[in-house]
Amino acid sequence: MNTAHKPSFVDLFTPKLMTVLREGYRLGDFRADAIAGLTVAIVALPLSMAIAVASGVTPDRGLYTAIIGGFFISALGGSRFQIGGPAGAFIVLVAATVAVHGVDGLVLAVLMSGIILLATGLLRLGTFVKYIPYPVTIGFTAGIAVIIFASQIKDLLGLTLAGGEPGELIHKVPALAGALQSFNAAAFALALVTIVLIVGFRRYRPSWPGLLIAVTVASVGAALLGLPVETIGTRFGGIPNVLPLPSLPPITYDRIVEMLPAALSFALLGSIESLLSAVVADSMTGRRHRSNCELVAQGIANIAASLFGGICVTGTIARTATNVRAGARGPVSGMLHAAFLLLFMLVAAPLASYIPLAALAGVLATVAWNMAEKHAFTALLRASRADALVLMATFLVTIFSDLIDGILTGFCLSALLMLHRMSQAVAVETAAHPLFAEDQADDANGARERYQPAEGMDRDIVICRISGAFFFGAAASVGAALDRIGAHPKAVIVDFAAVPILDSTAAATLEAYLTKAHRRGANIFIAAADTSVRRTLKSFGVKRPMVRFAADLTHALNAARAEIKAAETKAAA
């Protein structure tokens, strides 16, 4: 008898903050979380502004997102170490949404995505996000990295475009090439210094806040030397030093329908990014997150961020990893990270006006380089042709079409390849010889031996064994193998001992074969089918009086012999 405790709804959706507090939270833990929170806030400050600028909105909206969204993800989430905020992966989607629907449309889409994520978590659908294949994840992440880098070329080189910058890569490259005569050497030098400092600190002083130091050096240098470069102040007019009052965007039925595709895209990408980040934190700490609780927290965080005019919020892998390395003890570090960001905004907002956009472009260039997962990308290219096909299809469709199209293309292609592999793993054998698999030596067949005709077995009994997942991908091949039996036996036994699953297509295929055998007068037995397989078969008419079910092959064989003997005795009389 299984006496394992089944977790209740409350157990599954209790925030990790409550778990940590119950375990005993002391002053030393708070001190460690405060240091970790400050460290992450220093990293998040320039990054949040850079992501917002690249997304086509003002830098203050990136800070609002990190402050409000980051607080709720840590306070209510299912991961001890998750850090929430704006993520580079959203730049493409957010920029496209702003370009078409404006900031009000973006805010409404963020609000709607929060509601979708909240519902997804409460319905416990977060587990299904884990089924996205690894090549798809690497492919779309690398595609996003390429798009992010391409979006920063204009500010990296200080280019001036005659019109707006095209969003599609295929149109962006020619437009940037045509503007090369406006190349700004000062902007390029600042971007290069920023990149070199970030890479240098990461390699030689990884515990130092390289992002903040690099942006500060670039800002001070540009101001002291009077360099002719664009800054946050010249483009956006500075950053407010207060949070805005919460408010709802304009909401109408037509507007909701219009923004639904963007909201679904935000929710899908947000759930993937957040749960990937939680998995990274688990691998670094040995802990386990609660995926559905995490999605609920992310939904609430997006709803809250939208009320303050923020953009999409998700778990961020780089900041979460920084939080773990900085010695965080629990979710309090993420909450303090949000508080420190608010303090920075209240105190130092006027100084942000001096930050060169070329420096922020340098920050995002390093983000794109780190996002690309270069080692995983090359490893998948070498792994197998199937993995390489899925990877490149996802990567190229993401770059040249759309992020969601890339994910769907990769997922569907992965599913088709998996169905092909599974269909090849299904086998049909008879007592005399295999009908579906190539011959193998006896010592190469593992623990599963082929059927050997029992001594004295009646030749009028045909035993068919189906091995593997019997589903629509294998149904046609199995049906053809059954039809090749050719003989008209007096009894047919189908052994399901090695069939873990059976779907409706497979059940219909088997029903067609068994119906033909039954019309020819054969007695039909189904052996060793488990409860779910038996239920599916019965729903498609594979039941009495056409067939009889037996507990195992031995019982089915004895019953078949008895039926044949009884029929022969009756005929002789």
Side-chain angles (χ1 to χ4, degrees):
M1 181 178 178
N2 185 10
T3 58
H5 171 67
K6 185 177 181 179
S8 66
F9 181 88
V10 174
D11 293 331
L12 293 175
F13 290 94
T14 299
K16 286 292 185 177
L17 175 63
M18 299 301 299
T19 303
V20 170
L21 295 177
R22 288 172 182 168
E23 292 173 353
Y25 191 75
R26 299 175 177 81
L27 181 60
D29 298 320
F30 180 80
R31 188 182 300 112
D33 280 337
I35 295 172
L38 178 61
T39 303
V40 177
I42 291 172
V43 172
L45 180 64
L47 201 54
S48 299
M49 292 189 290
I51 291 171
V53 172
S55 300
V57 298
T58 54
D60 55 311
R61 293 184 184 273
L63 292 176
Y64 302 157
T65 304
I67 293 168
I68 303 299
F71 180 86
F72 280 103
I73 282 181
S74 294
L76 303 177
S79 171
R80 290 174 182 253
F81 305 102
Q82 185 84 283
I83 298 294
F90 280 93
I91 289 175
V92 181
L93 291 177
V94 173
T97 303
V98 172
V100 176
H101 304 286
V103 175
D104 284 343
L106 168 67
V107 173
L108 178 58
V110 173
L111 174 65
M112 294 168 60
S113 71
I115 295 172
I116 294 170
L117 285 165
L118 182 62
T120 301
L122 291 175
L123 293 173
R124 305 184 188 183
L125 301 178
T127 304
F128 293 99
V129 177
K130 301 174 183 178
Y131 295 135
I132 294 180
Y134 184 64
V136 175
T137 302
I138 297 300
F140 83 74
T141 303
I144 291 170
V146 171
I147 296 174
I148 290 175
F149 182 80
S151 71
Q152 298 308 300
I153 293 175
K154 174 178 173 289
D155 289 329
L156 283 168
L157 303 180
L159 303 181
T160 302
L161 298 179
E165 183 177 0
E168 298 84 1
L169 185 65
I170 198 169
H171 301 302
K172 185 193 296 285
V173 173
L176 293 173
L180 285 176
Q181 68 272 12
S182 63
F183 172 73
N184 186 328
F188 178 69
L190 285 176
L192 191 60
V193 167
T194 303
I195 294 172
V196 170
L197 287 175
I198 291 172
V199 174
F201 279 114
R202 182 167 295 159
R203 181 169 183 177
Y204 298 107
R205 291 291 185 272
S207 61
W208 290 24
L211 285 177
L212 186 62
I213 294 174
V215 172
T216 301
V217 169
S219 303
V220 172
L224 291 179
L225 298 176
L227 298 179
V229 294
E230 200 171 12
T231 65
I232 286 179
T234 59
R235 182 180 291 186
F236 302 106
I239 294 178
N241 59 355
V242 293
L243 284 174
L245 293 174
S247 62
L248 286 170
I251 301 176
T252 64
Y253 175 77
D254 291 338
R255 192 65 162 162
I256 290 174
V257 173
E258 181 184 3
M259 299 314 303
L260 185 58
L264 289 171
S265 300
F266 292 165
L268 175 61
L269 182 58
S271 59
I272 294 171
E273 285 290 309
S274 186
L275 296 184
L276 280 177
S277 178
V279 168
V280 169
D282 290 349
S283 66
M284 295 177 69
T285 62
R287 301 283 186 174
R288 290 193 64 182
H289 71 282
R290 290 192 282 268
S291 57
N292 292 308
C293 181
E294 187 65 27
L295 291 184
V296 167
Q298 190 179 345
I300 294 172
N302 276 277
I303 293 171
S306 70
L307 298 179
F308 288 86
I311 60 177
C312 303
V313 188
T314 188
T316 56
I317 296 175
R319 276 160 274 176
T320 299
T322 300
N323 187 41
V324 173
R325 293 191 192 103
R329 303 288 177 84
V332 175
S333 64
M335 299 162 66
L336 290 175
H337 132 270
F340 284 126
L341 282 175
L342 177 61
L343 180 62
F344 293 158
M345 191 182 75
L346 296 177
V347 174
L351 299 177
S353 300
Y354 297 98
I355 297 176
L357 295 180
L360 294 183
V363 169
L364 286 179
T366 60
V367 169
W369 177 258
N370 293 326
M371 277 183 66
E373 298 280 2
K374 300 167 289 298
H375 297 298
F377 196 96
T378 55
L380 284 170
L381 287 177
R382 295 191 301 264
S384 69
R385 284 182 295 178
D387 286 337
L389 177 62
V390 173
L391 174 72
M392 292 306 299
T394 306
F395 176 68
L396 294 175
V397 173
T398 298
I399 291 176
F400 293 108
S401 179
D402 178 75
L403 173 62
I404 301 303
D405 288 346
I407 294 175
L408 294 177
T409 299
F411 189 82
C412 291
L413 192 56
S414 295
L416 290 175
L417 291 170
M418 178 53 66
L419 293 178
H420 176 65
R421 293 191 192 105
M422 292 177 67
S423 66
Q424 291 181 321
V426 180
V428 180
E429 300 174 7
T430 67
H433 57 276
L435 290 172
F436 191 71
E438 294 183 1
D439 288 337
Q440 297 180 3
D442 291 337
D443 58 357
N445 204 25
R448 182 175 64 83
E449 298 179 354
R450 290 198 183 99
Y451 286 121
Q452 299 297 330
E455 186 175 352
M457 178 183 290
D458 194 317
R459 294 179 178 273
D460 289 327
I461 299 176
V462 170
I463 303 173
C464 302
R465 184 191 193 198
I466 303 175
S467 304
F470 191 9
F471 69 113
F472 66 90
S477 298
V478 172
L482 291 173
D483 287 337
R484 287 201 302 270
I485 292 174
H488 293 178
K490 294 181 180 179
V492 174
I493 301 174
V494 183
D495 186 4
F496 273 82
V499 177
I501 58 172
L502 174 131
D503 72 354
S504 57
T505 304
T509 299
L510 185 65
E511 187 272 339
Y513 167 74
L514 295 180
T515 298
K516 287 188 291 185
H518 182 65
R519 286 173 181 169
R520 293 169 182 164
N523 295 295
I524 302 171
F525 298 86
I526 303 292
D530 66 23
T531 304
S532 62
V533 169
R534 187 179 298 192
R535 186 185 305 116
T536 303
L537 288 172
K538 286 181 177 179
S539 67
F540 278 81
V542 183
K543 56 186 178 181
R544 283 180 175 274
M546 184 172 71
V547 304
R548 276 164 284 184
F549 290 89
D552 53 39
L553 180 60
T554 301
H555 285 85
L557 189 57
N558 291 336
R561 286 172 172 167
E563 287 288 339
I564 293 173
K565 185 176 181 180
E568 290 174 347
T569 301
K570 183 177 180 181

